Amino acid sequence: MLRVALPNKGTLAEPAATMMREAGYRQRTDSRDLSVVDEENEIEFFYLRPKDIATYVGKGDLHLGVTGFDLMEESGSQTQQVLALGFGKSRFHFAAPTDADWKLEDLDGRKIATSYPRLVRSYLSGKRIGAEIVKLDGAVEISIQLGLADAIADVVSSGRTLRQHGLQVIGEPIATSQATLIEREKRPDRVEEGHVTSIKRVFADRLQGVVLAREYLMMDFDCPESLLPDVETVAPGLQAPTVSPLRKAGWVAVRTMVPTKDTNRVMDRLAQIGATAILTSEIRSCRAMTTHTHEDA
């Protein structure tokens, strides 16, 4: 049976569970449950602290896990990314009081509070900046007010929390992150059971299908057959549009996948070309491409 770790709380927990459901997997109905078995798909899900997931996966106790890319990097565990999941996006920044116009080099010799000491040390080392790192497990924003640190390094989403504490971002992002499907690093001396590998492949492909479906909409419209070359330029789809003849002579029905962010622009252009009856619909899942674990590459 495949063993998969999911976040038990925090900003990644509910989106991760939602993605599992959309991919056809059973999830817990009580937030106090620490695990749930999906017998039909031969998977057992374990609900763990996001910061611990990479450690369990890296040691081989679990086959796969969903956690933040930043948490995977910070853990230093023997893990690697299988698939970026497209939610929980954030940036990792230095921040300091708004009454000081700091630049990155001003951090040299300062105290920096963070929950990510490994990431911060690595970044500062690359910039040849020496600073004292103060490790905290949370609420790092208050550390400056309490006199524990001169600046902080933390995950920034909207920036609202920083503003509430009178802080502003310093310089460019240290790193960017999002929810990520991870596995243990591959090594010649680590042999995985074939059946488990097969389930992992299906699992990754299902999640890839959900990720892709969220990035695209299905677009249907009618147009004169003579306009197909122009239509394919505007809306080429992933491979090619599906074209079917209509009972109206010289006309065809076209179905194609369009990036969600480009939907209105594409509709405008198709209407200008001469397409009619243009409509869009959501895609629940898609298998236009597959994502296999690294051993299959």
Side-chain angles (χ1 to χ4, degrees), residues 27-270:
Q27 289 295 289
R28 62 181 181 177
T29 56
D30 188 332
S31 61
R32 293 171 296 182
D33 292 341
L34 300 180
S35 66
V36 64
V37 176
D38 183 340
E39 295 183 356
E40 181 180 350
N41 292 295
E42 299 184 76
I43 296 180
E44 184 169 11
F45 292 98
F46 296 85
Y47 300 90
L48 308 172
R49 288 180 52 191
K51 284 189 174 184
D52 295 336
I53 288 175
T55 300
Y56 282 106
V57 173
K59 290 183 177 179
D61 299 314
L62 299 170
H63 299 109
L64 295 169
V66 172
T67 190
F69 185 81
D70 54 343
L71 295 176
M72 180 191 77
E73 292 285 280
E74 175 62 28
S75 73
S77 60
Q78 298 179 37
T79 54
Q80 60 190 23
Q81 176 177 282
V82 178
L83 175 67
L85 300 178
F87 64 87
K89 294 182 179 180
S90 62
R91 304 179 311 279
F92 194 63
H93 275 282
F94 290 111
T98 55
D99 58 3
D101 186 21
W102 286 25
K103 297 179 178 61
L104 184 64
E105 52 267 29
D106 294 326
L107 294 175
D108 192 52
R110 305 280 188 168
K111 290 183 179 181
I112 302 174
T114 183
S115 300
Y116 300 80
R118 186 173 181 272
L119 278 176
V120 174
R121 287 194 183 97
S122 176
Y123 183 85
L124 292 177
S125 175
K127 299 292 184 180
R128 296 187 176 182
I129 294 174
E132 180 182 345
I133 306 301
V134 180
K135 184 182 182 304
L136 298 176
D137 287 331
V140 297
E141 296 87 358
I142 200 67
S143 62
I144 297 177
Q145 184 178 339
L146 295 176
L148 188 64
D150 302 302
I152 67 169
D154 201 14
V155 172
V156 177
S157 295
S158 65
R160 183 174 60 88
T161 304
L162 290 183
R163 291 191 294 271
Q164 288 177 340
H165 290 85
L167 303 177
Q168 63 182 351
V169 165
I170 301 173
E172 297 299 315
I174 302 170
T176 58
S177 181
Q178 64 176 294
T180 302
L181 179 66
I182 65 173
E183 67 179 354
R184 195 181 193 190
E185 286 182 350
K186 294 292 186 291
R187 285 193 342 202
D189 60 331
R190 292 173 180 168
V191 180
E192 192 172 75
E193 182 184 345
H195 185 57
V196 168
T197 299
S198 178
I199 302 174
K200 282 176 66 174
R201 183 181 300 119
V202 171
F203 185 81
D205 286 348
R206 284 196 190 185
L207 295 192
Q208 172 70 83
V210 174
V211 171
L212 195 62
R214 291 178 175 182
E215 294 175 349
Y216 285 83
L217 289 174
M218 187 66 72
M219 185 172 290
D220 293 271
F221 55 89
D222 300 337
C223 71
E225 188 172 8
S226 60
L227 295 180
L228 282 177
D230 294 331
V231 164
E232 291 188 26
T233 299
V234 176
L238 290 184
Q239 296 177 327
T242 299
V243 180
S244 306
L246 292 177
R247 292 187 66 180
K248 184 177 180 180
W251 280 69
V252 293
V254 181
R255 165 166 281 200
T256 187
M257 291 174 65
V258 176
T260 303
K261 61 183 178 63
D262 297 333
T263 301
N264 290 311
R265 180 186 60 79
V266 171
M267 292 181 78
D268 293 341
R269 185 67 184 123
L270 288 174

